[in-house]
Amino acid sequence: MSPRPSSTASQNSGIRSVILSHSSSSESYNDLPNNVPEKSLGTFDEKVVVTEHKPVVSSEDDDRTERLDPGVKSVDDVDDIVRPHNDSEPPDGGLQAWLVVVGAMCSTFSTFGYVNAWGVFQEYYQQNVLSHSSPSDIAWIGSIQYALVFLPGLPMGRLFDLGYFRSILIPASGLLIIATFLIPECKEYWQFLLCQGFATGLACGTFFGPVTAILAMWFKKRRGLALGLFATGSSIGGTVIPIVVRSLIPKVGFAWAVRIVAFILFVGLAAANLTLKRRVPPAPSSEGVFNLQMFKKFRSPAFTIYCISTFFVYLGFYTLLTYISVTATSIGVSESFSFYLVSIANASGGLGRIGAGLFADNFGAMNALIPFTALTGVMTCIWPFMGSTAGLVVVTVIYGYSSGSYGSLVSVPVIETGEPGDLGRRIGLLMTFLASGGLLGPPISGLIFRSRGIEAMGIYAGCMIIFGVVIMCIPRFLVLSARRRRGMFTGWILSKV
């Protein structure tokens, strides 16, 4: 049978390009033909586009086989690649997907929620076992916890991309439980720093990046809601754990209060390990965990500037949670009630995380992040000037709601632009910036508190957050400018970003 001249070659090329693009598990904008129309994703990175390939296959069997790519054995193989199965897109629901959300909530309850409860430990240590240490020195324990929640994100994210998941979560769960059981045995500052700072933080940090990437595999249209529920687990943990510790210390003592917390963490981590499951297999890769390719993401100005903005936000982000219990007594708040301020902030943060997730799904993550984070900065600035218990509670509730929104959505802009095989590394790069700000923020605030007073500390921390929001507006502008260059009509204020 004689081949058809030019049309056959062009169709053959079209099929081959689709096969290659799908076999690499990515949709890189560099690999696509120039004459295919672009369709915007409405996402964070102005360079990412989706193109529609429409290969034509003749109805004649011999002619169809003749035009196949040499590596494909039958037309059915082409159909499997060109027309993906129903599970090629995230299901955005179903029993397994929601079980993954439940497992993610259990993981963040036991990790980030535990870390968010640091304020109650800071106050207890200052007044009891570490009373000879300065508030700034004690704050380093909490800072290392916060930083290590994010700092392992880059290697853990890359290991996740390479296919490692269960083999790193189970040892991390064991390390967290053992470290918590060892806290009551600590007597010296360096022992607390090792157990509750390094060991606890490192174990918690092993979970955060991979679990975030897992959720992105199961949800797309409802991703904001899924991540909001995921982050709500930390709010529940940050609410429950301080109350448990505060209630149990007078009854059973500090040592057994912490041991009971360790048993609670064991239950949460067991549920997480049983329900978390990746949906798609890892993409083949010959790259190792660390290589220069990991830094190619910084060629995107929007991605780079957004990462920088998170560093400044986190310089002031945890100052209020760290010091509110300690400083509340200075305005006449009873010691028994000051313990609960951390729980109040985390409880309102849970509502903020869910609300922000729903808002982001409908109006865009950046459109939610910017105003909510700015409100967090304002509340941090005015918190030290509250002279009554009622005023302090109001500020705490508003701060908790707005800061919870930022915590749940901070990774959404980079998730939406990551290729399937590169999601963990992209999140890991972002986490590195978060970790740097989270590590330096509370100790710097502690130094300002000791030398300049609580008012100066609040103004410093709040201004750092607001400065980060100003920087965050730049990538939003870059995204909208890129859309306009592609001929899309977008407004500067109301467009979904």
Side-chain angles (χ1 to χ4, degrees):
M1 182 176 180
S2 60
R4 300 177 185 177
S6 60
S7 63
T8 300
S10 62
Q11 291 165 356
N12 214 355
S13 175
I15 294 174
R16 185 176 291 106
S17 67
V18 177
I19 294 170
L20 291 176
S21 65
H22 280 273
S23 64
S24 63
S25 300
S26 66
E27 292 179 351
S28 173
Y29 59 90
N30 292 324
D31 299 332
L32 300 172
N34 295 327
N35 60 345
V36 182
E38 296 179 353
K39 181 171 64 178
S40 171
L41 284 172
T43 54
F44 177 76
D45 193 334
E46 69 275 17
K47 291 183 178 181
V48 177
V49 296
V50 173
T51 62
E52 297 178 352
H53 297 269
K54 298 181 179 179
V56 179
V57 181
S58 169
S59 61
E60 302 177 25
D61 292 343
D62 293 340
D63 191 37
R64 293 167 77 196
T65 305
E66 185 178 272
R67 278 182 271 127
L68 292 176
D69 186 87
V72 182
K73 294 183 176 62
S74 70
V75 178
D76 293 335
D77 294 339
V78 178
D79 292 342
D80 289 341
I81 297 172
V82 176
R83 296 191 295 274
H85 296 295
N86 292 334
D87 63 353
S88 62
E89 288 292 319
D92 278 304
L95 177 61
Q96 183 61 60
W98 291 117
L99 281 176
V100 169
V101 172
V102 171
M105 291 179 67
C106 290
S107 75
T108 194
F109 171 94
S110 306
T111 56
F112 217 139
Y114 179 39
V115 171
N116 277 347
W118 165 250
V120 73
F121 290 96
Q122 169 99 14
E123 181 175 4
Y124 179 83
Y125 293 157
Q126 281 187 216
Q127 297 175 357
N128 296 277
V129 65
L130 295 178
S131 57
H132 56 280
S133 300
S134 69
S136 179
D137 289 339
I138 298 172
W140 272 107
I141 302 173
S143 274
I144 289 171
Q145 278 190 108
Y146 288 132
L148 289 178
V149 168
F150 302 115
L151 196 58
L154 186 54
M156 292 302 111
R158 186 55 188 153
L159 286 171
F160 176 82
D161 290 339
L162 295 174
Y164 299 94
F165 179 59
R166 197 81 59 191
S167 57
I168 57 178
L169 254 60
I170 293 176
S173 302
L175 176 61
L176 177 57
I177 293 167
I178 292 171
T180 306
F181 273 114
L182 287 175
I183 290 174
E185 311 305 322
C186 297
K187 305 299 180 185
E188 302 293 332
Y189 174 80
W190 68 267
Q191 296 171 341
F192 285 99
L193 188 67
L194 183 62
C195 281
Q196 199 165 4
F198 285 100
T200 297
L202 184 62
C204 294
T206 303
F207 278 82
F208 195 71
V211 174
T212 303
I214 287 265
L215 285 173
M217 290 180 173
W218 288 93
F219 292 89
K220 185 176 181 181
K221 294 179 181 178
R222 305 171 81 176
R223 185 173 290 161
L225 175 60
L227 289 172
L229 291 170
F230 164 53
T232 301
S234 69
S235 295
I236 298 173
T239 303
V240 171
I241 292 175
I243 293 176
V244 169
V245 173
R246 180 68 182 94
S247 301
L248 290 177
I249 286 177
K251 299 176 181 178
V252 298
F254 176 76
W256 268 106
V258 175
R259 292 184 187 118
I260 291 171
V261 169
F263 284 116
I264 295 173
L265 299 183
F266 173 80
V267 174
L269 293 172
N273 279 276
L274 290 172
T275 54
L276 288 171
K277 178 182 178 182
R278 66 185 305 151
R279 191 182 64 87
V280 295
S285 175
S286 60
E287 300 177 6
V289 177
F290 293 102
N291 53 70
L292 295 177
Q293 291 297 315
M294 70 175 64
F295 300 109
K296 67 180 181 180
K297 302 302 176 186
F298 292 120
R299 290 184 296 184
S300 166
F303 176 82
T304 304
I305 296 171
Y306 181 74
C307 289
I308 293 172
S309 76
T310 63
F311 169 79
F312 286 100
V313 169
Y314 268 77
L315 277 178
F317 195 70
Y318 285 119
T319 296
L320 189 149
L321 272 182
T322 300
Y323 291 100
I324 190 168
S325 295
V326 179
T327 57
T329 55
S330 65
I331 64 170
V333 177
S334 65
E335 181 180 332
S336 59
F337 182 75
S338 66
F339 267 100
Y340 292 99
L341 289 172
V342 175
S343 295
I344 291 172
N346 283 300
S348 60
L351 298 176
R353 295 171 198 273
I354 297 174
L358 293 170
F359 185 94
D361 285 338
N362 290 281
F363 301 103
M366 293 291 286
N367 291 338
L369 282 167
I370 291 172
F372 281 123
T373 312
L375 182 59
T376 301
V378 172
M379 291 300 105
T380 304
C381 282
I382 68 175
W383 141 62
F385 298 93
M386 295 296 102
S388 66
T389 302
L392 191 60
V393 169
V394 169
V395 169
T396 302
V397 170
I398 298 174
Y399 167 85
Y401 189 93
S402 58
S403 64
S405 304
Y406 182 79
S408 67
L409 298 177
V410 64
S411 59
V412 173
V414 299
I415 288 175
E416 291 184 343
T417 59
E419 298 173 354
D422 205 38
L423 191 56
R425 183 188 302 181
R426 201 175 179 92
I427 295 173
L429 290 170
L430 173 69
M431 296 297 108
T432 302
F433 281 85
L434 295 182
S436 302
L439 176 65
L440 298 175
I444 293 175
S445 296
L447 290 174
I448 296 174
F449 178 33
R450 188 167 57 180
S451 60
R452 299 290 182 179
I454 182 176
E455 292 85 359
M457 176 179 68
I459 292 173
Y460 155 77
C463 287
M464 287 296 100
I465 296 173
I466 294 171
F467 181 62
V469 173
V470 173
I471 299 175
M472 196 189 304
C473 293
I474 300 175
R476 185 181 186 276
F477 171 79
L478 293 175
V479 171
L480 294 176
S481 298
R483 290 182 189 174
R484 291 194 168 211
R485 288 196 300 270
R486 294 200 296 266
M488 300 175 60
F489 177 77
T490 56
W492 294 110
I493 297 177
L494 299 179
S495 295
K496 182 177 180 179
V497 182

